[in-house]
Amino acid sequence: MALRDVNNRSDILRDYELQLIHHDSQCDPGKSTKFLYELLYNEPMKIVLMPGCSGVSTLVAEAARMWNLIVLSYGSSSPALSNRQRFPTFFRTHPSATLHNPTRVKLFKRWGWNKIATIQQTTEVFTSTLDDLEQRVKEAGIEISVRQSFLTDPGVAVKNLKRQDARIIVGLFYETEARKVFCEVFKEKLFGKKYVWFLIGWYADNWFKIQDNNINCTVQNMTEAVEGHVTTEILMINPTNTRGISKMTSQEFLDKLQEKIKKSPEETGGYQEAPLAYDAIWALALALNKTAQELAKKQMRLEQFNYHSPNRDITHELYRAMNSSAFDGVSGHVVFDASGSRMAWTMIEQLQDGKYVKIGYYDTTNDNMSYFGTDRWIGGVPPADHTKVIPTFRYLSQKLFVSVSILAGLGIVLGISCLTFNVYNSNVRYIQNSQPYLNNMTAVGCTLALAAVFPLGLDGYHIRTWHFPLVCQARVWLLGLGFSLAYGSMFTKIWWVHTVFTKKVEKEKRKHLDPWKLYATVGMLLGIDVLTLAVWQIVDPLHRTIEEFTKEVPAGDEDVLILPQLEHCSSSKMNTWLGIVYGYKGLLLLLGIFLAYETKSVSTEKINDHRAVGMAIYNVAVLCMITAPVTMIVSSQQDAAFAFASLAVVFSVYITLVVLFVPKMRRLITRGEWQSEQQDTMKTGSSTNNNDEEKSRQLEKENRELEKIIAEV
C-alpha cells in the first residue's frame, strides 16, 4: 500500500521509483545475518535497510555503518537501540519502549503515589526500560521500594512483592509470561482495592482469557486478578482521524488494510504495527526526496550511492533528511528525537468489568495529558502506595495516675504533718532522745520521694516533647535525694546503734553520742548521690526515647496499621548508670537489713526509736529490692511499670512515717508528756537537757559497778 501510494505521487521522487526487496527472518538474528549478506552482495544496490524486530535491528544497525547504510525500523522498541554511539545511522517509526515511562510517571504524580514496585522478565528490552524508569522516577521524587525479576517462573518474585507490601506495581513482561504472573497474583491475593498493576498495552484485549497449559488458574481466576489494572500503549494510529501526508485518515487506512488482508486483526500478525510500517515508507520517501534535492545542488544524484565510497555525502544528506522528518501520518505525527526514536502519544486504558476503557492520552513531546476522568477504582478512590502506618502512643491510664497521685498527695500531707509535729515538740525529752533532726530529714526525704510520683506519671498526654528532659531530670533527682535523706537518716541511726552497743570493747566504755557525726554521715550519703546524679546528667543526660512495638491491624480497616509507641526517659548508657545507682543503693539496703537484725535486742535511750527504724528499714529494703528488677522487666507496660514504682514509693513512705511518728504522737497524746515537758522547759530553760544527760551517765556508771560486785560474789 505504502509503496503504491508513494510511487503514485508525482511530487515525490519524480525521477525514481521505490522498490522493496524483502525476506522473512522470523525475528531470528542468525537468519537475518544470512539475508543481510545476500542483500548486500546481490544486485541491485540497496540504499536503506528496514528490519522489523528489535533483535534483528540490533544486529543490522550495528553493522550498517560499515556499508554507509541508513537503517529504518518499523517494529523495534528496544531502548538499547537509542544508543547513538552504537547505532549511529538508526531510525525507527516504532517508539522506544521507554516512551511508556513518562506516562507512568505522570500518572504516579496525578494519583499521589510516591512509592512503587516493579517486576520484570529478565530480557534486555525490559531491563533497559526499567533502568530508564528508575532514572525518571528518581528525578520525580518517587521511590522504587521493591524491584523483582524472573526468567521463566514468577512465583518467588510475586511472593516477594506480597511480603514487602508492594501496592503500585509496574509489570514488564511478554504476554505469555503475563498469564503466569497473574496466576501467581491470584494465588497470593495481590489484587483488589489495595493494589494497582501497570502493564504494557500491546497485549491482545483478551490475553487473560486465552487458555494456557503453563498455568493452573481458571479464566474466572484470571479475570478476577487482572480487574482494574492500567495499561499504557503507544499510539500506533492517529487518534484525531485527520488527513495527513498520504491524503488518508487513519480510519480510511484501516478500512483499506482490512480489504487487503481479508482476515480479522486478531488473526493477523503485526496488524498493530501496520500504520508504523506504512509511515516508515513515507518517512523514507520524504527523506530521499529531500536528499535528492540537496544532492542536485551539488551536481550529484542518488544513484551515485556506493557501499564503500569514501565520500559519504549521500549518506550524510540522507541522515540529515531523516533526522529532520516531520509530517502527519496515519499513525500520528511522525518526528524523530536525537537518538532516532519516534516521538508519539501514549494511550492510557483501564480494565473495567473485563473490558479496556480509555481514560486518557499523553503527549510526551508537549508534556500534555488529555484526561477523560473515566477511571474507576474498586475501593472508590485510588489506593495508597503503601500500608498507612499510624503511630499511636500508649499513654498511662489516667484513672491509675489520678488514684496514685491522690495517695501521694495524702502522703505528702502526712509527711508535712509529721515534720511539723517533730519540730513543734523538739523540746520534749522523748522526742529529743529519738534524734529529731534525723527524723526531720526522714520526713523531708519521704515528702520528696512522694513528689517524684507526679513526674513518674507524666507522659505525652500531659506535656510537650521539649518538656521531657526536665521531667526526666525531676524523676531522678526527687527519687535520688528523697531516698538519700529518708533512708540515709534511718541507716545512720541503726549504724550508730550497732557501732556503739554491739561491740564488747564498747560495752566497757560507752561512747558519748556526738550528733554532728550522725549529720555528717547523712550528708556524706547525700553527697555521693548528688555527685553521681550530677555526673550522670552532665556526661549522659536523660532524654526522651521512643520504643516501638509490633504493628497492629485495627478492626474494619485493611489498609491501615497501628504502630504502638511508648515514651521512655533514657540515655545512651542507661544500663551502666542504673547498674551504678542500683548497685550502690542495693548494698546500703542489704547492710541496713543486717544492722537492723543485729540491733533488734539493743535498748538505748539515746536513740529510743531504733527498733521502729529497723522495722521501717526492713519494709523499705524488701519493697525496693522487689520493685527495681520488676519495673525493668515490665518497662514496656506503662501501667504496670508505673503502678509498681509509684506504689512501692507510696507504701514505703507510709510505712516509714507511720512506724516512726505515729507511736510518738500516741505516747505524747495519751500520756500528756508534751505538756509537762513544756512547763519544765519554761521553768528551767535549756539546762534541763544537760542535767538529764548527766544523771543518765551517772546511773549507767553505778549499774556497771553493781554488776562487777555481783560477779565477784
Side-chain angles (χ1 to χ4, degrees), residues 598-670:
E598 286 287 302
T599 59
K600 65 181 185 299
S601 59
V602 173
S603 176
T604 174
E605 290 187 2
K606 298 187 185 308
I607 300 180
N608 56 22
D609 59 354
H610 74 278
R611 288 194 179 90
V613 169
M615 186 181 298
I617 286 176
Y618 286 142
N619 287 282
V620 170
V622 171
L623 284 171
C624 288
M625 287 190 289
I626 293 175
T627 303
V630 170
T631 51
M632 293 181 69
I633 295 171
V634 300
S635 61
S636 297
Q637 304 174 36
Q638 69 279 9
D639 290 346
F642 174 76
F644 269 100
S646 60
L647 291 178
V649 172
V650 170
F651 289 149
S652 297
V653 168
Y654 270 88
I655 291 171
T656 299
L657 293 177
V658 169
V659 168
L660 285 184
F661 292 97
V662 170
K664 296 181 177 62
M665 294 179 182
R666 182 172 176 275
R667 172 165 176 160
L668 266 62
I669 292 173
T670 56

Side-chain angles (χ1 to χ4, degrees), residues 1-4 6-7 13 18 20 50 72 74 93 275-288 327:
M1 285 176 62
L3 289 172
R4 185 193 62 202
V6 167
N7 290 330
L13 295 174
L18 282 182
L20 177 65
M50 297 185 68
L72 177 60
Y74 58 89
T93 54
L276 303 178
Y278 184 85
D279 284 344
I281 297 296
W282 275 99
L284 174 59
L286 294 173
L288 288 171
F327 64 93

Side-chain angles (χ1 to χ4, degrees), residues 11-160:
D11 58 333
I12 300 175
L13 295 174
R14 180 177 300 175
D15 301 328
Y16 299 94
E17 180 182 347
L18 282 182
Q19 293 183 356
L20 177 65
I21 300 173
H22 62 88
H23 295 281
D24 184 6
S25 68
Q26 299 177 341
C27 294
D28 185 342
K31 289 183 179 180
S32 66
T33 303
K34 175 178 177 293
F35 293 142
L36 174 61
Y37 280 94
E38 288 179 0
L39 290 169
L40 291 174
Y41 292 104
N42 293 319
E43 295 291 336
M45 188 169 289
K46 289 74 181 178
I47 195 168
V48 173
L49 298 174
M50 297 185 68
C53 302
S54 294
V56 174
S57 294
T58 301
L59 186 147
V60 171
E62 198 162 17
R65 60 180 172 179
M66 306 305 295
W67 285 272
N68 296 335
L69 287 167
I70 297 293
V71 180
L72 177 60
S73 175
Y74 58 89
S76 302
S77 62
S78 172
L81 290 167
S82 297
N83 187 337
R84 261 290 175 249
Q85 292 181 344
R86 186 178 172 190
F87 312 105
T89 62
F90 179 78
F91 293 88
R92 52 182 164 182
T93 54
H94 193 301
S96 169
T98 59
L99 199 63
H100 295 266
N101 292 335
T103 308
R104 290 169 178 147
V105 173
K106 198 76 174 179
L107 292 174
F108 297 155
K109 296 174 76 173
R110 180 180 185 87
W111 289 323
W113 295 326
N114 295 314
K115 184 182 292 186
I116 65 169
T118 63
I119 177 173
Q120 64 154 120
Q121 185 179 354
T122 309
T123 61
E124 189 276 334
V125 61
F126 296 132
T127 300
S128 301
T129 303
L130 187 53
D131 290 341
D132 178 78
L133 177 62
E134 188 170 8
Q135 181 62 32
R136 291 179 185 274
V137 296
K138 184 178 181 181
E139 292 172 357
I142 299 171
E143 174 192 0
I144 297 182
S145 58
V146 185
R147 184 169 177 170
Q148 294 293 318
S149 62
F150 66 94
L151 187 59
T152 56
D153 183 6
V156 174
V158 173
K159 288 179 181 178
N160 288 339

